[in-house]
Amino acid sequence: MAEVPYESRGSLTFKNGDFILDQKPLRILSGTMHYFRVVPEYWEDRLLKMKACGLNTVETYVAWNKHEEYPGKFDFEGILDVRKFVQVAQKVGLYVIFRPGPYICAEWDFGGLPSWLLADENMKVRSNYKPYQDAVDRFFARLLPLVTDLQHSKGGPIIAVQVENEYGSYSDEVEHLMFVKELLLKYGTQELLLTSENIFGLKRAAFYQHALPTANFPEMGDGQKLFDMIREWSPDFPLMVMEFWPGWFDHWGQGHKGLAMPLFENCLTGILDAGGSFNMYMFHGGTNFGFMAGANYFANSTYKPDITSYDYDAPLSEAGDITPKFLRAREIVFEKVLKPSGISKLPDLPPNTPKANYGKVPCTHTMSFNQMLAYVKNNIECPSPIPMEHLKIHGGYGQNYGYIVYRTTLPAGKRLQFSSLPQDRAQIFINGTFIHVIDWRNPDLGINVDCTQDTNTLEILVENHGRVNYVEFGLNLLNEHRKGLTGDVSIDGKKLESWNIIPLEFDKEFVKSVCQCDKWVATSPSTCCYPALFKATLTITDAPKDTFLCTKGWGKGIVFLNGFNLGRFWCVGPQQTLYVPAPLLQQGDNQILIFEQENPGMSIEFLDAPILDETDKSNVEEADKEYPTGS
């Protein structure tokens, strides 16, 4: 017996290949913007620009790992106020496509999954493993009631809800999609359900009996194949590109990517000429603030961590500016869709936010690494190194983000050996002197050392550079990629024991403590050691404007502005500036805190334009040989 294709019971339905809303045909013209990548003061500005481009819908993911920091500890305030974001979209006249995951990919740490799931050594994410199911259930029980009254059937803007995300690229266990679907229904979802898949996953995880299938692609070659598959399942299914990629994301140490204008024009035109609806992923990328940038692991490749900027070469820049791609999209949408439907004029273009060049600011004070570590509250004694997710802190759920320090006593010896590759970047110090870096770029696990003293101090600073958010089918990395040291360390074949482990999380309490303490000394060339903290003050005399903090002349680290984590920087590029939205600044003094790991500078500079395409030629990696498959 043939399986019956899905029929929507929501406000948004479909027939004969068309979407229907309020008994009228609807062409969905959508763009992606993630509330958690944009300061809330700018949500309305970006959404109004979306409207001015001719779009009628905004799509957003939900970042579970930001909303539930630890089990049962929820946050839906400020930049995480997803309900308010949906309400702002309705205010400016946009429908909403809601993609709650629980897995979202999105070049976001662990694909939006909370890292505390990995405290369970047997965890199987994105499956019907019972502890994972229970965690998802608890999250949806809090999230979904916040927005169920904002569904279109209840007078709100939400017209569609997605079931998981690109599941066929990860697994063929369709039973898990059924579990997610049932949870959505359990907690009040009434609108059209859909899935989204790329060329590799659409048939592998066919779910067309339970949700509308949609496609993800950057060019019409793959697109036509996906459209044909969808139409084979049902001629009633409308053609919808849930992720039309108008650009791409960047990895540290590689060149700046994007999508050339002719390819962008051809794909957008092709979708519309085929009668399709679209969602541009991304329309406005925003920023991977803090430690939220994820990483990818493609077959026949290695770990590839993403940069802080999520500019994406999108129609709206990272700072929300209108780009040539925006203007071309506006022309195409108007000519192909809006003008034929009787719309004679688009809204006027809103202005871009003003930008400021505040110039150079000296770093006035510094604090040594050891003095900084004195303000870390947790200090764990352990016979062997363990990853951050297995530390018995935060109720036994481990450390989420940041760095982790491993210390032990090192006897005399000549060869230091790691049994497994540190995750993700280990700086090794002996008696306070830097020795070597081990990471995915320098994976040699054996290091020649010259320890002639009987007793030495070995110190290993490991940076969590972002958990993998996308792995290809058949790879089990999502369940295995724990951070820090995941194996033993030995000297001349003798295993090192009795470790002191310090979780350097850079949480708000720690940042506030070090900023207010009296351990700072004046910065000078003689005091510029590393790793270390550095402090500077930006004084603004008038209303603050957007600006870009230039990290040229520095090595690698993170920056806090008035206690807010702007994100990572690294001299290898391609990103050389960090975006600073004006709402994070204040008139008067603004405190800048820099954790520098490798090459301290004496000042920082604030520019009025970003630098996102400048790589250190001596460190640049070879670009990915295959086109990445999804977001």
Side-chain angles (χ1 to χ4, degrees):
M1 180 178 175
E3 295 177 288
V4 178
Y6 171 68
E7 292 184 10
S8 172
R9 302 257 193 281
S11 302
L12 180 66
T13 59
F14 50 82
K15 188 176 182 180
N16 297 326
D18 292 325
F19 284 112
I20 301 168
L21 185 67
D22 299 329
Q23 300 181 330
K24 297 177 183 177
L26 173 70
R27 181 83 72 101
I28 296 176
L29 311 171
S30 179
T32 297
M33 169 185 161
H34 299 146
Y35 60 95
F36 48 85
R37 281 182 160 125
V38 181
V39 294
E41 293 88 345
Y42 282 163
W43 289 346
E44 186 168 345
D45 171 79
R46 283 26 171 188
L47 292 170
L48 284 170
K49 287 172 180 168
M50 204 173 282
K51 185 85 172 172
C53 193
L55 305 191
N56 57 24
T57 304
V58 61
E59 175 271 306
T60 187
Y61 281 135
V62 174
W64 179 12
N65 56 2
K66 290 295 290 181
H67 289 294
E68 193 177 9
E69 181 182 12
Y70 287 100
K73 184 180 178 181
F74 293 99
D75 186 359
F76 292 96
E77 301 295 327
I79 198 171
L80 299 178
D81 192 343
V82 60
R83 177 180 173 84
K84 182 178 178 181
F85 177 79
V86 174
Q87 290 173 321
V88 175
Q90 184 173 27
K91 174 185 174 184
V92 304
L94 293 171
Y95 299 121
V96 173
I97 296 173
F98 198 65
R99 301 171 83 186
Y103 164 84
I104 63 173
C105 188
E107 290 69 64
W108 194 253
D109 187 88
F110 205 18
L113 301 175
S115 65
W116 47 257
L117 291 168
L118 297 174
D120 179 350
E121 294 187 15
N122 300 311
M123 178 52 62
K124 296 178 180 62
V125 300
R126 306 184 73 188
S127 80
N128 281 356
Y129 176 61
K130 186 62 165 54
Y132 178 70
Q133 286 185 315
D134 291 344
V136 175
D137 193 321
R138 181 180 60 241
F139 176 56
F140 274 14
R142 283 296 299 270
L143 168 68
L144 295 175
L146 293 176
V147 297
T148 50
D149 67 319
L150 298 178
Q151 296 178 95
H152 190 270
S153 57
K154 297 179 181 294
I158 297 174
I159 58 172
V161 179
Q162 185 170 298
V163 182
E164 235 265 354
N165 184 59
E166 286 189 330
Y167 191 71
S169 295
Y170 179 74
S171 173
D172 56 7
E173 298 177 19
V174 181
E175 297 81 5
H176 181 58
L177 292 179
M178 184 61 72
F179 162 73
V180 176
K181 175 197 169 182
E182 293 300 326
L183 270 191
L184 291 171
L185 299 178
K186 173 182 175 181
Y187 292 115
T189 302
Q190 298 177 353
E191 300 302 338
L192 177 140
L193 298 177
L194 50 84
T195 58
S196 67
E197 296 286 358
N198 60 39
I199 191 69
F200 302 102
L202 186 63
K203 284 197 172 180
R204 184 184 290 133
F207 199 62
Y208 65 90
Q209 314 92 333
H210 308 283
L212 174 71
T214 69
N216 300 344
F217 58 80
E219 54 89 22
M220 284 305 295
D222 284 349
Q224 193 56 56
K225 295 175 187 175
L226 287 162
F227 282 171
D228 290 345
M229 289 185 210
I230 290 169
R231 279 287 165 83
E232 282 178 16
W233 285 329
S234 173
D236 282 327
F237 285 162
L239 301 178
M240 171 76 187
V241 188
M242 182 53 61
E243 293 189 15
F244 159 41
W245 304 317
W248 206 247
F249 52 89
D250 292 336
H251 295 133
W252 288 113
Q254 294 186 350
H256 185 48
K257 302 188 189 76
L259 187 67
M261 186 71 84
L263 297 175
F264 170 76
E265 293 171 336
N266 290 343
C267 191
L268 180 56
T269 300
I271 293 167
L272 296 178
D273 285 347
S277 294
F278 68 79
N279 175 60
M280 281 191 214
Y281 185 103
M282 299 289 295
F283 190 86
H284 172 46
T287 307
N288 297 315
F289 292 120
F291 297 115
M292 287 298 108
N296 294 276
Y297 205 110
F298 306 117
N300 304 315
S301 185
T302 60
Y303 173 77
K304 302 285 186 184
D306 300 316
I307 68 171
T308 299
S309 171
Y310 203 55
D311 178 84
Y312 211 88
D313 191 28
L316 286 180
S317 73
E318 180 181 13
D321 290 344
I322 290 169
T323 68
K325 194 169 282 184
F326 176 104
L327 297 175
R328 189 67 186 106
R330 177 176 152 106
E331 291 173 354
I332 293 172
V333 167
F334 182 72
E335 291 296 328
K336 292 279 183 181
V337 181
L338 302 181
K339 189 175 178 181
S341 68
I343 296 173
S344 59
K345 187 176 184 299
L346 282 170
D348 293 337
L349 294 177
N352 292 330
T353 54
K355 310 296 187 293
N357 181 332
Y358 291 116
K360 286 192 175 181
V361 177
C363 288
T364 55
H365 293 82
T366 185
M367 182 189 299
S368 73
F369 188 57
N370 284 336
Q371 287 176 326
M372 176 185 77
L373 291 183
Y375 290 89
V376 177
K377 287 191 173 181
N378 293 304
N379 205 306
I380 297 100
E381 302 294 333
C382 216
S384 300
I386 57 175
M388 59 172 56
E389 294 86 353
H390 288 172
L391 296 179
K392 299 304 178 184
I393 58 175
H394 300 299
Y397 286 100
Q399 177 184 350
N400 288 337
Y401 310 109
Y403 303 78
I404 185 168
V405 181
Y406 298 86
R407 283 177 175 164
T408 191
T409 300
L410 184 69
K414 294 185 177 180
R415 183 74 170 171
L416 194 66
Q417 188 74 33
F418 290 74
S419 64
S420 59
L421 187 66
Q423 306 293 330
D424 299 299
R425 192 170 189 272
Q427 290 174 263
I428 300 160
F429 302 83
I430 296 178
N431 298 328
T433 300
F434 170 71
I435 300 297
H436 194 64
V437 167
I438 301 178
D439 63 8
W440 66 95
R441 296 152 55 102
N442 306 288
D444 189 350
L445 301 181
I447 305 167
N448 293 325
V449 296
D450 186 18
C451 293
T452 57
Q453 298 175 194
D454 291 337
T455 303
N456 304 273
T457 298
L458 173 65
E459 198 166 47
I460 305 170
L461 172 64
V462 184
E463 178 182 4
N464 169 0
H465 225 290
R467 292 180 184 84
V468 167
N469 58 262
Y470 183 86
V471 294
E472 294 184 341
F473 184 82
L475 298 177
N476 196 36
L477 282 178
L478 289 186
N479 295 312
E480 298 173 350
H481 206 199
R482 293 173 177 87
K483 299 300 186 178
L485 297 184
T486 58
D488 293 327
V489 183
S490 60
I491 182 78
D492 293 344
K494 182 181 179 181
K495 177 182 171 182
L496 298 175
E497 298 179 334
S498 300
W499 291 82
N500 175 233
I501 303 176
I502 305 170
L504 186 52
E505 300 174 277
F506 280 99
D507 57 23
K508 290 181 180 178
E509 185 178 352
F510 170 78
V511 171
K512 183 178 179 180
S513 295
V514 295
C515 284
Q516 295 177 349
C517 78
D518 59 359
K519 302 299 182 183
W520 295 91
V521 298
T523 303
S524 68
S526 63
T527 60
C528 279
C529 58
Y530 71 91
L533 285 176
F534 294 84
K535 189 159 48 171
T537 302
L538 170 65
T539 302
I540 299 176
T541 57
D542 52 7
K545 296 180 176 64
D546 285 4
T547 188
F548 300 87
L549 191 158
C550 182
T551 55
K552 284 188 175 183
W554 294 74
K556 190 176 196 311
I558 53 177
V559 180
F560 292 82
L561 173 69
N562 295 329
F564 183 91
N565 191 338
L566 292 176
R568 292 186 180 91
F569 65 89
W570 194 3
C571 63
V572 299
Q575 176 175 4
Q576 303 290 347
T577 54
L578 292 171
Y579 172 52
V580 181
L584 297 180
L585 295 164
Q586 61 193 17
Q587 193 167 347
D589 290 345
N590 295 269
Q591 187 178 72
I592 299 132
L593 186 72
I594 303 171
F595 176 58
E596 170 58 59
Q597 300 166 236
E598 295 183 349
N599 182 36
M602 295 294 291
S603 66
I604 53 176
E605 187 172 8
F606 290 89
L607 307 177
D608 57 8
I611 303 173
L612 297 176
D613 57 355
E614 190 172 308
T615 52
D616 178 347
K617 302 303 181 185
S618 64
N619 280 291
V620 69
E621 291 185 45
E622 186 176 1
D624 302 320
K625 293 185 183 301
E626 54 190 289
Y627 194 87
T629 54
S631 292

